[in-house]
Amino acid sequence: MELHRTTGNWRLGLGLSLITVILWGLVPVALAVVLKKLDVYTINWFRFITAFILLGGYLFKQNNLPKLSQLRSVPLYLFAIAILGLVGNYIFFVMGLKATSPSHAEVLIQLAGVFLSLGGLVIFKERYTRYQWLGVGILLAGFIGFFYEQLKTMATQSDRYISGSIMLIVAGVSWAIYALIQKQLLTKLASTHIMWVIYGVCTLVFGTMAKPQTLIELNSIEWMALIFCGLNTVVAYGAFAESLQHWEASRVSAILALAPIFTIVSMEITAYIAPNLVSPEHITALGLFGALLVVTGSISISLGKGVRSEE
């Protein structure tokens, strides 16, 4: 089977990856707000139907909706695996977030990037240079320092916290499976066509379990958070899918490792502006140093020379 090859436009791939990481870093805070009123399935149904309608409207306006002949060219099992992976990620991430906290959820979901990177190395024959492997070490050291307190909490908290952590790990595995299949699907379809079909199927799946009537219980702030989650889905996943068209999966996954920093910063700002919505994170000097290492390691992996795909 022919494997996907990137365009080599790393600047565009980097820019799209940064858009993705910023939006994914912000979404746990918004989800924490709406989880006070809505269940997991209703939230995810709203996110997917928003993405399906907006992306579908864009494709229709561009006269670029996927043709049936194009869809038939894609092996059905690949679409099925991608959809199951994304559904699993959305369910387990929100459930894990509800049982833990936004910052804790972001540290564990970074395993998704690790799994994606390993998949890129093994499946798509991508390679790291020694400089980039050094970046991996720096990145891991940074995570240990940045999330030291959270890791201690995970080991000492209640069963609910631990079960939530397990859900987050499952969410990470599910997402990595989706992302690797998404990259392979690019050999047959444009990223926008792939995402539109996936959004549509996921809308139907979550629609069978959603409770749309509960949306009337939301106040204005909660509505804003929910709408942001919906817009986040279409923009962030669209940027992510397109980034894989131009950049290696291993490099994209390294940039995604920056998401926890945006989560912590957004939580601090939100807690300062509206302390009744979220609790602030208390970051120690060790945590700040760890954050610096995370940034340094991520940049080393992403921009280091020599990552290549074997022909």
Side-chain angles (χ1 to χ4, degrees):
M1 180 171 60
E2 178 190 2
L3 295 179
H4 174 260
R5 303 298 179 187
T6 67
T7 65
N9 189 346
W10 69 268
R11 290 180 179 84
L12 181 55
L14 172 61
L16 292 167
S17 299
L18 288 174
I19 291 173
T20 303
V21 78
I22 292 171
L23 292 175
W24 281 354
L26 296 176
V27 78
V29 180
L31 286 171
V33 173
V34 295
L35 274 169
K36 295 178 181 179
K37 295 283 185 67
L38 301 179
D39 63 86
V40 172
Y41 305 106
T42 303
I43 293 171
N44 287 331
W45 167 78
F46 183 89
R47 296 179 70 184
F48 279 118
I49 195 171
T50 300
F52 179 72
I53 293 172
L54 291 179
L55 182 56
Y58 170 78
L59 292 174
F60 178 78
K61 186 177 180 180
Q62 298 293 317
N63 194 27
N64 191 30
L65 286 171
K67 297 178 174 61
L68 187 58
S69 59
Q70 292 176 300
L71 298 179
R72 285 176 175 171
S73 69
V74 180
L76 183 60
Y77 74 92
L78 286 181
F79 256 131
I81 295 173
I83 290 167
L84 288 174
L86 195 58
V87 167
N89 170 258
Y90 268 65
I91 291 176
F92 287 109
F93 180 78
V94 179
M95 291 175 66
L97 172 63
K98 187 174 183 179
T100 57
S101 69
S103 61
H104 185 82
E106 272 303 319
V107 64
L108 283 185
I109 204 62
Q110 294 315 301
L111 288 172
V114 175
F115 295 138
L116 173 60
S117 184
L118 291 175
L121 295 175
V122 174
I123 298 174
F124 294 103
K125 310 302 182 185
E126 299 171 4
R127 292 292 181 265
Y128 278 174
T129 63
R130 292 181 181 179
Y131 176 78
Q132 288 170 305
W133 280 116
L134 176 62
V136 172
I138 295 173
L139 185 70
L140 293 176
F143 277 130
I144 292 173
F146 191 57
F147 293 109
Y148 179 67
E149 294 300 324
Q150 284 81 0
L151 292 173
K152 286 199 305 182
T153 299
M154 183 178 68
T156 59
Q157 282 286 347
S158 64
D159 291 341
R160 180 172 179 270
Y161 209 85
I162 294 174
S163 64
S165 300
I166 294 173
M167 291 177 190
L168 291 167
I169 294 173
V170 174
V173 174
S174 299
W175 182 86
I177 292 172
Y178 149 76
L180 290 168
I181 297 299
Q182 160 80 47
K183 184 172 177 62
Q184 183 58 28
L185 286 172
L186 290 170
T187 62
K188 300 293 186 179
L189 288 174
S191 61
T192 51
H193 292 169
I194 296 168
M195 295 312 304
W196 187 66
V197 173
I198 291 177
Y199 292 154
V201 176
C202 288
T203 296
L204 295 175
V205 171
F206 283 110
T208 62
M209 299 172 281
K211 300 176 182 177
Q213 66 273 17
T214 58
L215 295 176
I216 62 175
E217 301 174 9
L218 301 181
N219 59 35
S220 59
I221 293 178
E222 290 162 345
W223 261 113
M224 290 174 62
L226 182 61
I227 291 172
F228 172 78
C229 291
L231 295 176
N232 188 293
T233 297
V234 66
V235 178
Y237 268 93
F240 167 72
E242 189 64 19
S243 71
L244 292 176
Q245 181 74 21
H246 304 286
W247 221 16
E248 292 90 348
S250 52
R251 293 195 179 196
V252 172
S253 67
I255 287 295
L256 298 184
L258 301 176
I261 296 176
F262 290 97
T263 300
I264 298 300
V265 171
S266 63
M267 284 190 66
E268 290 293 332
I269 294 174
T270 304
Y272 177 78
I273 297 174
N276 59 312
L277 292 180
V278 296
S279 300
E281 294 286 336
H282 303 287
I283 305 176
T284 63
L286 176 61
L288 292 175
F289 180 66
L292 177 62
L293 291 181
V294 169
V295 174
T296 303
S298 180
I299 292 174
S300 298
I301 296 170
S302 302
L303 302 183
K305 303 296 183 181
V307 172
R308 60 184 175 85
S309 296
E310 295 180 351
E311 299 297 335

